[in-house]
Amino acid sequence: MRLSRLLPARAIALLAAMPAARADILIAIDKSKQQMTVTVDGEARHVWPVSTGKGRYDTPAGEVKPFRMERHHFSREWDDAPMPHSIFFTQEGHAIHGSYEVRRLGTPASHGCVRLAPENAATLFALVKQQ
């Protein structure tokens, strides 16, 4: 999968390149806007508010690929905080996941993960799992 344009330096792109019979998924997170855009086969399907890392807990930038998914995950590092529909993209534990702190969406608030509303995380999880 190739990007048709360069992503801003403050963005992260999660690429889920699939075999030819399946869809190409690009999950782009714009940290300056605290917004995620999900593109399938070049067509923007979803635009959602997110919360990325706050302060010294910056969310990594650049292109990454998902390597593990867990429907029901609890953070061992952060007091067993619930992380429903987690899609992990770094070995250090960064993930895109649902958050019940929906009032914080649209502002940096996490310890480096990308937080979504629970229903949006479930939709994204199902889309990536389907591929």
Side-chain angles (χ1 to χ4, degrees):
M1 166 192 274
R2 286 184 277 163
L3 295 175
S4 60
R5 61 187 180 280
L6 294 176
L7 295 170
R10 298 184 51 89
I12 181 174
L14 186 69
L15 306 171
M18 303 302 141
R22 301 209 178 179
D24 283 338
I25 301 171
L26 172 65
I27 302 164
I29 293 106
D30 185 330
K31 294 192 291 184
S32 65
K33 291 182 180 179
Q34 294 293 295
Q35 181 174 293
M36 172 188 289
T37 303
V38 180
T39 304
V40 180
D41 288 335
E43 180 183 333
R45 283 245 184 113
H46 305 285
V47 178
W48 294 315
V50 298
S51 288
T52 61
K54 181 177 180 178
R56 65 184 179 103
Y57 299 108
D58 195 23
T59 301
E63 294 179 16
V64 296
K65 291 186 183 256
F67 68 90
R68 186 174 99 228
M69 296 174 61
E70 291 187 35
R71 187 174 307 279
H72 305 287
H73 182 79
F74 294 86
S75 173
R76 289 180 222 129
E77 189 173 356
W78 303 106
D79 299 322
D80 287 327
M83 297 169 57
H85 297 100
S86 292
I87 303 170
F88 289 89
F89 60 89
T90 72
Q91 295 294 331
E92 293 78 29
H94 296 97
I96 298 171
H97 64 80
S99 173
Y100 301 110
E101 294 287 327
V102 293
R103 62 182 165 69
R104 306 285 306 272
L105 295 176
T107 64
S110 79
H111 289 107
C113 286
V114 178
R115 297 178 181 175
L116 282 170
E119 62 275 10
N120 295 341
T123 298
L124 182 64
F125 189 92
L127 180 63
V128 173
K129 186 174 177 86
Q130 176 184 9
Q131 301 307 318

